[in-house]
Amino acid sequence: IGLRYAAAYVKGLLNMIEHPQYSYENIVIIVATSEGLSRAEIGRHRWAWMMPMWNMPREGFEKLYEKIPGPKPSFEEVWRLTGGNPGALASLYMVRWDIDKAIKNIITSKRLDAFTHTLSAEERKWLLEAVENPDTLLTKEKLPLIQKLIELNLIIDSITYRDPELWIDQPPPEKNPDLGIGKYVAWQTPLHKEAVRKALKEIA
């Protein structure tokens, strides 16, 4: 529905609960979004309760991996590339496990080549540092860069707390540089992290 209408949509659902046209005994409404900007837009209102959902736990993801037919890379390699994200798994399968092609698909779909060219030399340096450790983005001067990365749905911020009750299913690990997970900021998937690395390398 787009960022512009995200908050209005959720508010409309609340109105449906509070002022129903028909009688009901119980009603629960769950709305999911994968866009970081809509999370912030909805979360600023008091009437929304936000709970993030991370990627699949390792055990469940391995069961999904085993369901995929045909030759495929080892589970450890697939886990390293996806971090348990089923969408990333599907994208790898669709390109017949061609990692370079999957990374290029992210670059072209998110126009990372154009994006990196708009950055200053200093911003590109910051971004390369964030590829290794996304928490380095959390400084005052880098806030505009964080916002751009959230707009492109490349990172997720505000993952500080790992209390299980604050997450749907399992929270992310406390910190895992290989998977692009920091204490406060994480890349959407390791493939996204590698796509940014490649885009930066190609203009160096």
Side-chain angles (χ1 to χ4, degrees):
I1 61 174
L3 177 64
R4 182 179 176 184
Y5 301 105
Y9 178 73
V10 175
K11 179 63 172 175
L13 294 174
L14 176 64
N15 289 338
M16 185 175 70
I17 295 174
E18 294 180 334
H19 309 287
Q21 289 184 313
Y22 309 99
S23 62
Y24 61 86
E25 185 174 342
N26 294 295
I27 183 169
V28 175
I29 296 177
I30 299 174
V31 180
T33 176
S34 63
E35 300 294 334
L37 287 179
S38 58
R39 182 177 67 129
E41 173 64 20
I42 296 168
R44 68 190 181 91
H45 298 285
R46 291 184 293 109
W47 35 259
W49 179 263
M50 307 289 290
M51 290 185 71
M53 180 170 63
W54 192 244
N55 297 325
M56 294 179 68
R58 186 182 177 95
E59 182 180 350
F61 187 74
E62 187 169 10
K63 291 179 181 178
L64 178 62
Y65 161 86
E66 290 171 352
K67 296 288 185 182
I68 297 176
K72 51 184 179 279
S74 69
F75 174 73
E76 289 301 326
E77 184 176 4
V78 172
W79 176 260
R80 179 181 61 81
L81 292 167
T82 65
N85 185 287
L89 177 64
S91 69
L92 282 172
Y93 178 70
M94 289 171 64
V95 296
R96 299 181 181 180
W97 309 106
D98 187 326
I99 299 168
D100 188 59
K101 188 175 291 186
I103 289 173
K104 287 178 179 177
N105 280 345
I106 294 174
I107 292 174
T108 55
S109 64
K110 294 188 176 293
R111 302 182 66 235
L112 294 185
D113 46 355
F115 167 65
T116 51
H117 275 89
T118 66
L119 300 177
S120 67
E122 186 174 38
E123 286 175 319
R124 289 198 291 269
K125 176 177 175 289
W126 292 343
L127 190 53
L128 188 58
E129 291 171 352
V131 167
E132 303 301 332
N133 179 7
D135 284 343
T136 60
L137 291 167
L138 290 182
T139 61
K140 182 179 179 180
E141 64 270 18
K142 297 174 187 175
L143 287 178
L145 179 58
I146 289 179
Q147 188 67 11
K148 292 176 184 176
L149 295 173
I150 293 174
E151 288 175 7
L152 289 170
N153 213 22
L154 290 168
I155 65 169
I156 177 172
D157 64 347
S158 300
I159 59 168
T160 307
Y161 304 111
R162 302 303 202 272
D163 310 58
E165 61 272 17
L166 298 178
W167 293 79
I168 295 176
D169 202 8
Q170 182 173 298
E174 190 66 30
K175 198 168 185 179
N176 189 319
D178 291 337
L179 298 182
I181 301 170
K183 179 174 175 57
Y184 307 102
V185 182
W187 292 96
Q188 288 284 353
T189 73
L191 283 174
H192 286 75
K193 172 171 70 82
E194 294 308 317
V196 169
R197 188 198 303 274
K198 183 176 180 64
L200 287 169
K201 183 178 180 180
E202 290 179 349
I203 63 171

